[in-house]
């Protein structure tokens, strides 16, 4: 099938989202010299809303308008941070993921104006984050610290930190890399200290199912190991049926020899109860591995824990 001559790329309009699009444009240009790309930026309801995301239906608030532009034919390709794409329900009918780019850093970073690491922050330090995953893990490991709600893209959160709305921030390493702000990092936290969200560090390319020309054009950008990790993690979250107030974390690791493992964590919001599971796929498919880890946690009480969290 001939390569598409023009690919219109729809994305959120934040600086980080547009930086992600530039990565896709560069990789497409390297793969298909002479291809033309156009950016179709949209502002999502999640970007406009400053309150609790649960009131907008959770993470889907960051993808709805992007999906609409794709389905309406205003764009050919959508670029998503996979962690922002709901896994508790299917992709919008008529769309599919054509590729998952090679995964970026999955870890979280502490940003503190004085450069202190997490363990040296004094009691009462206000950590800016609205992530229930981060809040629960901080409550478990550093109960002497406080959390204050801060939402918005990474640039706006850094501005709020400078304005004194928090004493420090927790942000994704990959996000800070994309906006060229790694010099702000005080400490990169280990995954043992702060288990990442499902889909961390993965950019997913979404197309209309019937647009075979665009699918064929972009599919070679996909990284097989990242796809396997994403498939296991998203099935894990799907089987758990966690909502936007559920502190759930986990990550899969695809080794060069083909070995695939998945760690999954479920927390109470106060961090006082933590359920953990870690399994290897063996002969299982990535989706079966995700299902197995989720069922292990369900047998340990994860479903009841999630159901007891208001949303």
């Amino acid at each position: 099938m001939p390569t598409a001559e023009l690919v219109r790329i729809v994305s959120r309009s934040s600086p980080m989202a547009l930086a992600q699009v530039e990565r896709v444009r560069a990789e497409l240009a390297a793969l298909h010299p002479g291809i033309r790309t156009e950016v179709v930026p949209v502002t999502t309801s999640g970007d406009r809303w400053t309150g609790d995301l649960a009131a907008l239906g959770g993470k889907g608030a960051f993808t709805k308008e992007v999906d609409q532009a794709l389905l309406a034919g205003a764009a050919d390709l959508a670029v998503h941070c996979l962690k922002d794409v709901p896994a508790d329900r299917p992709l919008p009918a008529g769309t599919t993921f054509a590729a998952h780019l090679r995964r970026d850093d999955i870890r979280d970073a502490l940003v503190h104006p004085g450069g202190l690491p997490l363990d040296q922050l004094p009691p009462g330090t206000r950590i800016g984050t609205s992530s229930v995953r981060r809040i629960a893990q901080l409550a478990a490991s550093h109960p002497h610290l406080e959390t204050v709600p801060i939402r918005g893209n990474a640039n706006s959160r850094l501005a709020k930190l400078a304005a004194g709305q928090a004493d420090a921030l927790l942000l994704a390493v990959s996000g800070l890399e994309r906006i060229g702000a790694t010099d702000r990092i005080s400490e990169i936290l280990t995954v043992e200290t702060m288990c990442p969200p499902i889909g961390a560090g993965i950019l997913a390319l979404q197309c209309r199912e019937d647009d075979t020309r665009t699918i064929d054009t972009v599919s070679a950008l996909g990284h097989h190991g990242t796809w396997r990790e994403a498939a296991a993690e998203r099935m894990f979250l799907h089987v758990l049926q966690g909502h936007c107030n559920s502190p759930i974390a986990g990550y899969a690791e695809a080794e060069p020899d083909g070995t695939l493992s998945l760690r999954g964590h479920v927390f109470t919001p106060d961090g006082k109860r933590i359920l953990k599971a870690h399994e290897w796929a063996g002969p299982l498919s990535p989706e079966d591995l995700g299902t197995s880890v989720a069922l292990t946690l369900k047998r340990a009480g994860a479903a009841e824990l999630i159901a007891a969290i208001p949303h």
Side-chain angles (χ1 to χ4, degrees):
M1 168 132 344
T3 299
E5 297 179 356
L6 171 66
V7 177
R8 298 166 299 161
I9 307 173
V10 61
S11 168
R12 293 167 63 187
S13 57
S14 71
M16 185 185 301
L18 294 177
Q20 293 165 181
V21 169
E22 289 308 309
R23 173 184 172 185
V24 175
R25 295 179 80 180
E27 293 193 16
L28 271 175
L31 182 65
H32 302 292
I35 195 171
R36 292 188 299 124
T37 53
E38 292 180 0
V39 181
V40 182
V42 298
T43 301
T44 68
S45 51
D47 293 315
R48 291 189 295 267
W49 181 251
T50 58
D52 186 348
L53 275 181
L56 290 180
K59 288 184 176 181
F62 291 117
T63 59
K64 182 174 66 174
E65 287 85 354
V66 173
D67 291 336
Q68 289 172 344
L70 186 64
L71 286 167
D76 310 301
L77 177 68
V79 179
H80 290 295
C81 277
L82 192 62
K83 68 180 180 59
D84 292 331
V85 180
D88 58 346
R89 52 188 181 270
L91 288 178
T95 72
T96 186
F97 284 139
H100 297 80
L101 302 193
R102 180 184 290 273
R103 193 169 207 168
D104 293 324
D105 202 314
I106 67 173
R107 296 171 295 176
D108 283 309
L110 177 72
V111 176
H112 181 264
L116 293 179
L118 189 63
D119 288 344
Q120 292 182 22
L121 295 179
T125 298
R126 299 170 302 154
I127 310 294
T129 181
S130 293
S131 162
V132 294
R133 171 188 61 88
R134 290 172 175 147
I135 291 169
Q137 292 184 80
L138 272 180
S141 63
H142 295 76
H144 59 287
L145 304 179
E146 298 179 8
T147 56
V148 293
I150 284 189
R151 283 201 50 238
N153 61 57
N155 299 77
S156 65
R157 294 189 201 194
L158 289 169
K160 291 175 181 178
L161 174 65
Q165 294 186 28
D167 302 316
L169 296 176
L170 285 176
L171 294 169
V173 171
S174 60
L176 290 167
E177 289 175 341
R178 289 167 190 160
I179 63 171
T182 54
D183 60 321
R184 304 295 300 275
I185 295 175
S186 305
E187 180 186 16
I188 295 178
L189 306 180
T190 67
V191 291
E192 290 75 28
T193 299
M194 186 64 60
C195 193
I198 299 304
I202 299 176
L203 295 183
L205 307 186
Q206 181 186 15
C207 299
R208 292 183 298 278
E209 284 181 331
D210 59 0
D211 187 0
T212 54
R213 175 172 288 192
T214 301
I215 291 172
D216 288 345
T217 299
V218 306
S219 61
L221 298 181
H223 182 258
H224 183 65
T226 299
W227 168 78
R228 295 179 72 219
E229 292 172 354
E233 292 175 21
R234 285 178 61 78
M235 182 57 73
F236 165 73
L237 192 57
H238 174 72
V239 173
L240 282 179
Q241 285 292 294
H243 50 74
C244 58
N245 287 336
S246 309
I248 297 172
Y251 61 96
E253 290 184 288
E255 303 294 344
D257 64 0
T259 303
L260 181 68
S261 65
L262 173 63
R263 299 175 189 267
H265 298 180
V266 178
F267 310 85
T268 52
D270 60 9
K272 292 183 178 179
R273 187 178 178 196
I274 306 173
L275 305 177
K276 298 182 180 182
H278 183 198
E279 298 181 11
W280 284 260
L284 298 178
S285 68
E287 294 85 356
D288 286 343
L289 174 62
T291 299
S292 179
V293 174
L295 292 178
T296 295
L297 290 178
K298 279 191 168 186
R299 286 191 291 271
E304 294 78 9
L305 189 156
I306 292 169
I309 302 171
H311 66 286

